[in-house]
Amino acid sequence: MEKKLFKVYVFDWMTDCSVEQEALDGVATVLPLLADKQKELPKEVEEADGLLVWHLRGVIAQDFPHMKKLKIISRIGMGFDNVDLKTAGDHGVYVTNVPDYGVEEVADSTLCMLLNMLRKTHWVSVGTHQGLWPTEEAKGAERIRGKTLGIIGLGKIGKAVAERAKPFGLKIQFYDPYIEDGLDKSLGINRVDTLKELMETSNIISLNCYLDTRNYHMINKESLSWVKPGTFFINTARGGLVNIDALVEALKSGRLKAAAIDVLELEPYHKGELLSVPNLMLTPHSAFYSDEGFREMRYKAALEIRRVLTGDLPRNVVNNQFLKK
């Protein structure tokens, strides 16, 4: 007798389910739902034992009564603000994510931006492609060794940035009020007690923290007034951490010598003042991406569903506080 397989749906965005099917082979059939393309919740979702959710259509409270067989929602990515965690918990549904997605890629991109800014690689390359052979543009490039890198947020990515920066001879310090003492000693870096102290004493500032209501626009006119003239700034974290008007003002005044920004509060960004700021490197929220990392993220998200459907516990549950015991 042929084994009956569970049904798992990729909820939105993607029609290719090959990676997810590989992870769930022998346990479930994986099918695309494209709920983001439809006004009403597709009827097929009633048969879902598991959902793999991207970001174009959230799973809201009104959806759960239609998904009585559902056991787990796995977010293909790190963020999970597009899933109603409490309602999922009330229905006994696990919600999981992939918390290590993009750690290496974002840390690598942060160092890439740092090197590009201090060595002016980006600007001389652009000029060369324009046929200018701009040797003069290299003036103002700076030596990296001996500079102080200030990291705001020492989570997985912040730690990875610190480890990558060490071989370049950078002095490394961090500000993170939410971690216990001792991490500075284990990593061999310096801890400062206030954001103001970090901003005042760093040559390069890298944002690598989460965004919440407590740190919205933490980089603003006041905090940028604390930096030394000629400071470099990097944001590969969240766009809402930075007041863009204040950033542009600091770049134009020279208080910031250059900045590299991968994330903006409003995306995509097709028109606006940022596109004409000459000492700004702007990338389209791509610091997280690599072919290897993208595949790994999809596979790991599907593995969480496999664990639940085969009777094991998932690893990365984000709604534990709401799950009915």
Side-chain angles (χ1 to χ4, degrees):
M1 184 177 177
E2 189 175 344
K3 178 183 175 183
K4 185 177 180 181
L5 300 178
F6 291 103
K7 284 190 178 180
V8 172
Y9 287 95
V10 176
F11 195 56
D12 58 318
W13 188 48
M14 188 167 281
T15 56
D16 170 32
C17 304
S18 58
V19 174
E20 295 77 8
Q21 186 62 71
E22 180 184 338
L24 284 155
D25 187 48
V27 173
T29 301
V30 185
L31 298 166
L33 200 59
L34 291 178
D36 55 303
K37 303 290 186 185
Q38 304 177 48
K39 290 182 179 179
E40 302 292 333
L41 192 68
K43 189 171 178 59
E44 297 96 312
V45 81
E46 297 176 3
E47 299 298 315
D49 298 289
L51 283 183
L52 287 150
V53 177
W54 285 94
H55 57 284
L56 293 184
R57 205 282 198 186
V59 185
I60 58 178
Q62 296 92 315
D63 294 335
F64 285 91
H66 302 283
M67 303 184 291
K68 299 187 186 303
K69 297 176 67 177
L70 191 65
K71 302 168 183 65
I72 176 172
I73 297 169
S74 185
R75 252 291 284 137
I76 309 176
M78 189 180 294
F80 44 84
D81 56 350
N82 61 334
V83 179
D84 188 324
L85 302 184
K86 185 179 185 307
T87 305
D90 289 343
H91 285 78
V93 175
Y94 291 110
V95 181
T96 63
N97 71 339
V98 185
D100 62 345
Y101 175 55
V103 169
E104 294 178 82
E105 286 76 10
V106 174
D108 291 344
S109 294
T110 301
L111 260 292
C112 176
M113 289 172 161
L114 185 157
L115 296 171
N116 265 282
M117 284 195 297
L118 271 74
R119 299 301 307 140
K120 298 197 72 176
T121 311
H122 166 70
W123 289 275
V124 295
S125 175
V126 168
T128 304
H129 276 281
Q130 292 171 348
L132 302 177
W133 201 251
T135 309
E136 291 293 312
E137 188 66 39
K139 287 184 177 179
E142 298 190 20
R143 180 177 292 171
I144 294 165
R145 183 171 299 278
K147 295 286 194 297
T148 297
L149 169 63
I151 299 171
I152 301 173
L154 207 71
K156 295 183 184 73
I157 293 172
K159 288 196 283 281
V161 170
E163 291 293 348
R164 284 158 170 74
K166 284 181 182 179
F168 289 95
L170 288 157
K171 300 171 186 175
I172 302 164
Q173 59 184 13
F174 75 94
Y175 167 68
D176 191 328
Y178 303 110
I179 61 172
E180 62 186 18
D181 288 332
L183 189 56
D184 51 334
K185 292 181 171 62
S186 66
L187 292 175
I189 61 179
N190 185 49
R191 182 174 195 168
V192 299
D193 292 327
T194 66
L195 177 64
K196 189 172 190 289
E197 183 181 355
L198 181 132
M199 301 286 281
E200 288 177 337
T201 57
S202 299
N203 304 111
I204 309 143
I205 296 165
S206 177
L207 271 177
N208 298 108
C209 56
Y210 287 104
L211 171 66
D212 59 28
T213 55
R214 295 168 295 182
N215 61 12
Y216 177 74
H217 281 188
M218 69 186 300
I219 304 302
N220 51 43
K221 187 170 184 177
E222 181 186 16
S223 58
L224 285 169
S225 74
W226 301 332
V227 306
K228 297 179 286 191
T231 296
F232 297 89
F233 179 79
I234 303 165
N235 185 14
T236 54
R238 291 290 184 268
L241 295 166
V242 179
N243 181 302
I244 287 298
D245 291 338
L247 180 77
V248 170
E249 183 182 331
L251 284 166
K252 287 183 174 180
S253 71
R255 184 163 288 276
L256 289 180
K257 186 170 183 178
I261 303 294
D262 182 62
V263 287
L264 294 168
E265 194 168 353
L266 297 175
E267 298 177 357
Y269 190 91
H270 296 301
K271 291 191 298 184
E273 188 176 16
L274 292 178
L275 301 181
S276 59
V277 179
N279 50 343
L280 173 65
M281 286 175 56
L282 195 60
T283 54
H285 203 148
S286 57
F288 69 93
Y289 186 81
S290 73
D291 289 347
E292 299 93 333
F294 191 67
R295 188 185 194 285
E296 180 183 69
M297 172 185 66
R298 294 171 60 188
Y299 194 86
K300 283 185 172 181
L303 279 183
E304 288 284 54
I305 292 183
R306 185 184 185 96
R307 291 184 185 106
V308 170
L309 296 185
T310 55
D312 291 328
L313 292 173
R315 281 186 189 169
N316 304 300
V317 182
V318 297
N319 69 328
N320 264 325
Q321 70 271 40
F322 302 120
L323 281 166
K324 290 185 176 179
K325 303 298 180 184

